């Protein structure tokens, strides 16, 4: 039987199935990237809820695995060389799982790097900018009298949507006919922008018809439907 006792995180979140990938997460746009990928690949995994309401992300056990106190993080008991591997950062986890399974990343080297390029576009642009827009539009930032910060992030979010919309013209997915980790990373954030953040009118989402079309295809995938709710909130 697999023994994960050397990892302090398993003291707070005991593994009932230590032979499976252990997922420590919350169903946020970053968290669901990995739960969706795990559902898409069919890899056996065990989800553990990291509750921000009780500051689980700041506990020594969680920080031992994810020192930047961010979700998601994973512990794969069967990593490279058959040894356990702990990983944080959603983009790194997506690349790892894609290479582990040989799924959702092209085998051709040039197309592989192009896919990673669009994954980095989400990591460096769409995620941070949409998140800031959400803060200034829906959360504490909405009470600021000065609307220049909000407007800055609205403008940048619209620009990023425009880049994505242009890329999707004539394509089913970001990389063309094939659905990849770039799509998994990106469209959970787009869904969050117009749903949870309630910013569709603010960014004039109807102007981005290719993004809208692909988002609809994304949320219709069975693995996405399931992964969007993993781990289940308490």
């Amino acid at each position: 039987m697999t023994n994960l006792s050397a990892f302090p995180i398993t003291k707070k979140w005991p593994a009932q199935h230590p032979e499976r990938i252990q997922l420590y997460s919350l169903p946020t746009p970053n968290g669901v990237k990995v739960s969706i990928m795990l559902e898409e690949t069919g890899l056996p995994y065990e989800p553990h809820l990291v509750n921000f309401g009780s500051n689980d992300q700041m506990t020594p056990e969680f920080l031992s695995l994810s020192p930047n106190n961010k979700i998601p993080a994973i512990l794969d008991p069967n990593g490279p060389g058959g040894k356990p591997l702990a990983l944080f950062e959603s983009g790194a986890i997506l690349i790892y799982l894609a290479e582990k399974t040989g799924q959702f990343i092209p085998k051709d080297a040039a197309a592989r790097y192009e896919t990673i390029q669009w994954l980095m576009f989400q990591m460096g642009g769409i995620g941070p900018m949409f998140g800031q827009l959400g803060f200034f539009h829906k959360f504490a930032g909405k009470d600021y009298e000065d609307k220049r910060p909000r407007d800055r992030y609205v403008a940048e979010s619209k620009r990023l949507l425009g880049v994505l919309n242009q890329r999707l013209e004539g394509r089913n997915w970001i990389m063309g006919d094939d659905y990849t980790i770039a799509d998994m990373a990106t469209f959970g954030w787009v869904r969050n922008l117009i749903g949870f953040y309630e910013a569709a009118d603010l960014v004039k989402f109807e102007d981005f018809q290719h993004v809208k079309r692909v988002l609809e295809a994304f949320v219709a995938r069975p693995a996405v439907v399931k992964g969007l709710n993993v781990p289940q909130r308490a």
Side-chain angles (χ1 to χ4, degrees), residues 120-185:
M120 295 302 109
F121 170 76
Q122 182 281 310
M123 298 289 293
I126 282 179
M129 295 302 105
F130 287 11
Q132 292 292 343
L133 188 156
F135 173 79
F136 284 103
H137 177 57
K138 182 169 181 177
F139 297 108
K142 73 180 185 300
D143 298 324
Y144 293 6
E145 291 184 11
D146 187 346
K147 296 304 178 187
R148 284 176 295 181
R150 185 205 66 177
D151 293 346
R152 171 184 173 86
Y153 291 115
V154 169
E156 181 62 4
S157 295
K158 290 171 71 174
R159 188 190 70 80
L160 292 166
L161 285 167
V163 173
L164 183 60
N165 197 67
Q166 184 177 31
R167 172 67 182 182
L168 292 170
E169 185 174 0
R171 291 181 170 90
N172 292 327
W173 300 102
I174 289 173
M175 286 301 297
D177 290 336
D178 294 329
Y179 171 75
T180 70
I181 56 174
D183 302 293
M184 295 182 212

Side-chain angles (χ1 to χ4, degrees), residues 12-119:
K12 184 173 178 62
W13 289 279
Q16 301 301 313
H17 302 281
E19 75 283 0
R20 302 179 186 177
I21 291 174
Q22 303 295 303
L23 170 66
Y24 308 92
S25 192
L26 188 71
T28 68
N30 282 330
V32 300
K33 296 176 192 176
V34 175
S35 55
I36 288 170
M37 178 61 167
L38 288 165
E39 289 294 331
E40 292 280 12
T41 60
L43 284 168
Y45 72 100
E46 181 178 354
H48 303 278
L49 179 69
V50 180
N51 190 340
F52 286 6
S54 54
N55 285 323
D56 281 352
Q57 77 277 18
M58 301 303 296
T59 59
E61 293 89 352
F62 186 73
L63 291 172
S64 71
L65 189 64
S66 181
N68 197 32
N69 68 270
K70 304 296 183 184
I71 57 95
I74 67 166
L75 176 54
D76 184 357
N78 187 29
K83 298 179 180 179
L85 176 68
L87 282 178
F88 67 96
E89 281 294 336
S90 58
I93 297 170
L94 286 177
I95 294 170
Y96 169 69
L97 294 175
E99 293 185 342
K100 178 183 176 74
T101 61
Q103 298 181 62
F104 305 110
I105 194 167
K107 291 180 173 58
D108 172 76
R112 177 181 178 275
Y113 284 114
E114 191 176 353
T115 303
I116 294 173
Q117 163 189 269
W118 284 100
L119 173 62

